[in-house]
Amino acid sequence: NGGADAKPQLYFKLSETRVPPVIRRVFEKRGWKEWNPETDSEGLWSLHWKSGRFKLSDWDRCLPHQKINHCPKSSAITKKDNLHRNIKRLAGSYGAVYDFVPQTFLLPNEYVAFMREYAEQKEPSIWICKPSDSSRGRGIFLISDMSQLIYDQQYVIQQYIKTPLLIAGFKFDIRMYVMITSFHPMRAYIFKEGLVRFATDKYSYDEGSITNVYAHLTNSSINKYSPSLEQHKETVGTGCKWT
């Protein structure tokens, strides 16, 4: 209808019931149409967006013009147990360049090695325990004694950093947004804006504070329930984020 210079209609595919509204809104604002599984052919869509994981066969079935919003085998770095295994393997090959990672063990597989390290420590230390495949701070806890180590699934346990970088006494993390369009060659675009997430209570390495998730975890899904969330905190201000 628009003649030879008209742009082709682009279609996006959403295969989940609960899709963040902003995803659909951004596509439609840019003139894309949502792919309809009942009336449209499988080859019509150009981008398949999903929050969950894809199967390797999903990439195999893609036509040359089709893209998926995940990188194949990304769980090698996004799952805590896989990240530990890969860093351990790389440290074995390249040595000190990977010594920035605290002592880490996978439970129950590396329980004996962890117990050996725990028994040989010269002074008492705190360890942080995280489910290997979870998010939003769920299931994370700190221990200062072996009697506190209770788990019912695969966990990653790390020696807790005693003197982390703080802002006005608060723990924080920085979330950067990167879009990778190619691995061969590697091509990545870093978004100019990021997100800083804060704990809402001041950090303390004191053993009595290890149950205070608001001092040790920076997850917004945890800190939104903090009693001090809306209080004005030194430098940080109110809330638990900088954008």
Side-chain angles (χ1 to χ4, degrees):
N1 295 333
D5 296 331
K7 293 183 179 180
Q9 179 62 60
L10 296 175
Y11 289 80
F12 63 95
K13 178 180 179 180
L14 303 177
S15 57
E16 295 172 317
T17 304
R18 298 179 63 184
V19 177
V22 66
I23 301 299
R24 182 177 279 110
R25 191 162 61 242
V26 168
F27 278 124
E28 292 176 344
K29 186 177 180 179
R30 298 185 67 85
W32 290 51
K33 287 187 177 181
E34 185 167 356
W35 178 80
N36 188 329
E38 297 181 359
T39 59
D40 297 331
S41 66
E42 186 65 28
L44 189 61
W45 60 266
S46 295
L47 179 61
H48 186 176
W49 188 285
K50 188 164 72 168
S51 298
R53 296 171 183 166
F54 287 97
K55 300 176 182 178
L56 287 177
S57 58
D58 291 323
W59 280 278
D60 294 335
R61 286 195 295 266
C62 280
L63 298 175
H65 70 281
Q66 294 178 324
K67 304 293 183 184
I68 290 177
N69 74 308
H70 288 270
C71 301
K73 298 186 178 180
S74 59
S75 62
I77 59 174
T78 58
K79 283 190 63 184
K80 299 176 185 69
D81 55 335
N82 289 341
L83 179 62
H84 162 59
R85 292 189 188 98
N86 286 317
I87 288 181
K88 186 177 180 180
R89 176 176 57 81
L90 290 167
S93 299
Y94 300 104
V97 69
Y98 285 94
D99 65 2
F100 60 88
V101 180
Q103 282 277 21
T104 306
F105 300 93
L106 184 62
L107 303 178
N109 300 38
E110 298 174 343
Y111 180 80
V112 174
F114 163 65
M115 283 301 300
R116 187 183 304 116
E117 177 67 25
Y118 182 86
E120 292 176 354
Q121 58 186 5
K122 295 180 181 179
E123 59 182 39
S125 59
I126 294 174
W127 296 75
I128 186 166
C129 310
K130 305 178 182 181
S132 62
D133 189 19
S134 190
S135 60
R136 302 197 297 275
R138 293 172 296 181
I140 297 177
F141 62 95
L142 278 66
I143 66 168
S144 57
D145 186 84
M146 280 302 301
S147 63
Q148 300 164 331
L149 182 58
I150 302 173
Y151 57 95
D152 58 0
Q153 57 182 298
Q154 186 169 258
Y155 261 74
V156 170
I157 185 168
Q158 284 186 316
Q159 192 161 28
Y160 200 45
I161 296 175
K162 188 173 183 178
T163 55
L165 182 64
L166 305 173
I167 293 180
F170 295 94
K171 284 190 69 176
F172 69 96
D173 66 42
I174 299 175
R175 178 162 290 191
M176 303 293 292
Y177 296 93
V178 180
M179 181 176 69
I180 299 174
T181 60
S182 172
F183 285 98
H184 302 287
M186 171 60 76
R187 186 177 294 113
Y189 299 88
I190 302 177
F191 191 58
K192 62 182 178 181
E193 296 180 2
L195 179 68
V196 184
R197 305 186 304 174
F198 289 93
T200 46
D201 285 351
K202 288 200 172 185
Y203 170 79
S204 170
Y205 194 76
D206 183 76
E207 185 178 334
S209 79
I210 63 173
T211 59
N212 184 1
V213 293
Y214 305 126
H216 294 286
L217 303 185
T218 56
N219 306 79
S220 302
S221 54
I222 297 289
N223 283 281
K224 67 182 181 180
Y225 298 111
S226 171
S228 58
L229 176 66
E230 297 305 326
Q231 294 178 9
H232 189 277
K233 296 171 283 293
E234 178 188 356
T235 304
V236 175
T238 58
C240 59
K241 295 180 185 178
W242 282 353
T243 57

